[in-house]
Amino acid sequence: MVGQEANYIVSPALDADQAVIFVPGLGGGTKFVDQWNEPGREPVIRRANWSEPMSVPSVDERGAALASLVAGSGATEVVLVGHSMGALVCLEAAGHLERQLRGVIVMCQYPPHRTPLSPLAELPDRALAEEIEAPQHIMDTVALPEYARLWRSEYRLLNRYLESDPRPMLKAPIIAVGASDDASSWDTECLDDWSHYTTGSLSVHLIDGGHQVVERLPSETLREWVRKVGD
């Protein structure tokens, strides 16, 4: 179980009925979320960051922790937005939420049964850092082996999750977003299989860009998807 000392921190805090929560993937930043929150725009799009970045709880534990935070917040209309591995965390969190959940938006991530096991956990430190496009200051630091240990642990946890069963079955709609130059999401046939995880509607969108396209996603595009899952 997830301890009290390790959990998601949602910022800004959940203090309203409506909440859109963005969950990043492995090593993903969230600073760009600020560009989605023009003054006066509602609902506020919030960021979820793990409170202990150097700890590596499993995907389903993270999902349960996020769901527990949402369930205790008083928010009644929640949309979860997950990028890459964060999409899988959102799937697991959504499985614990009922009336509060309006929908889920998954970006740059095939559904679990269509995601191949990752070979990255077996790469040497620097090769692994290069493969995941780690920032230069991390590539050059003496702490690179510690970062590489964390990344390997994450990928091993991801692989274990991909081999596990059963998966959550949601009632809420899902929007699956792929990127044309992203090996993790360019195939719309694979994205169509997100329909296996909901009895609600599925909408698939393919946009131009690579795996980090989320960092340049226009606010209005995301907000249109949020409106769509709430209809």
Side-chain angles (χ1 to χ4, degrees):
M1 296 296 292
V2 176
Q4 292 297 316
E5 70 283 356
N7 210 322
Y8 275 103
I9 298 173
V10 173
S11 178
L14 293 169
D15 58 0
D17 292 341
Q18 291 185 310
V20 181
I21 303 172
F22 174 79
V23 183
L26 169 62
T30 59
K31 185 172 178 54
F32 62 87
V33 171
D34 293 344
Q35 73 192 17
W36 294 334
N37 287 319
E38 300 97 332
R41 295 296 298 272
E42 294 291 340
V44 174
I45 299 169
R46 305 162 197 273
R47 61 183 83 182
N49 291 297
W50 194 249
S51 63
E52 294 187 5
M54 300 307 282
S55 70
V56 285
S58 65
V59 172
D60 51 341
E61 285 181 314
R62 294 182 210 204
L66 181 59
S68 177
L69 187 153
V70 171
S73 71
T76 57
E77 299 181 44
V78 177
V79 176
L80 300 177
V81 182
H83 175 255
S84 193
M85 192 176 74
L88 303 178
V89 173
C90 287
L91 173 65
E92 289 296 319
H96 294 280
L97 299 171
E98 291 289 341
R99 291 185 296 272
Q100 290 169 292
L101 184 70
R102 290 175 56 200
V104 180
I105 301 170
V106 294
M107 300 187 64
C108 296
Q109 176 65 53
Y110 289 141
H113 72 286
R114 298 299 296 267
T115 301
L117 298 181
S118 174
L120 297 183
E122 309 310 318
L123 291 179
D125 294 354
R126 193 162 190 87
L128 175 56
E130 291 172 350
E131 187 67 29
I132 66 173
E133 300 179 4
Q136 194 61 47
H137 72 276
I138 291 180
M139 298 273 283
D140 294 338
T141 181
V142 295
L144 178 59
E146 181 62 15
Y147 281 101
R149 179 201 64 78
L150 170 69
W151 298 329
R152 287 193 193 92
S153 297
E154 293 270 13
Y155 279 114
R156 288 174 182 138
L157 284 171
L158 173 62
N159 285 345
R160 284 202 291 272
Y161 174 75
L162 295 175
E163 294 176 316
S164 66
D165 198 61
R167 311 291 184 191
M169 175 59 70
L170 311 183
K171 297 177 182 178
I174 294 176
I175 291 180
V177 180
S180 58
D181 297 322
D182 174 33
S184 302
S185 65
W186 68 267
D187 188 334
T188 55
E189 181 180 346
C190 290
L191 294 173
D192 284 339
D193 271 4
W194 275 106
S195 63
H196 294 198
Y197 300 87
T198 183
T199 59
S201 63
L202 171 71
S203 178
V204 173
H205 301 264
L206 192 66
I207 59 178
D208 292 334
H211 193 65
Q212 298 301 328
V213 67
V214 63
E215 297 182 8
R216 299 179 298 280
L217 189 71
S219 171
E220 191 49 46
T221 300
L222 177 62
R223 290 178 179 278
E224 178 59 32
W225 293 335
V226 170
R227 285 191 288 270
K228 186 170 183 178
V229 294
D231 288 344

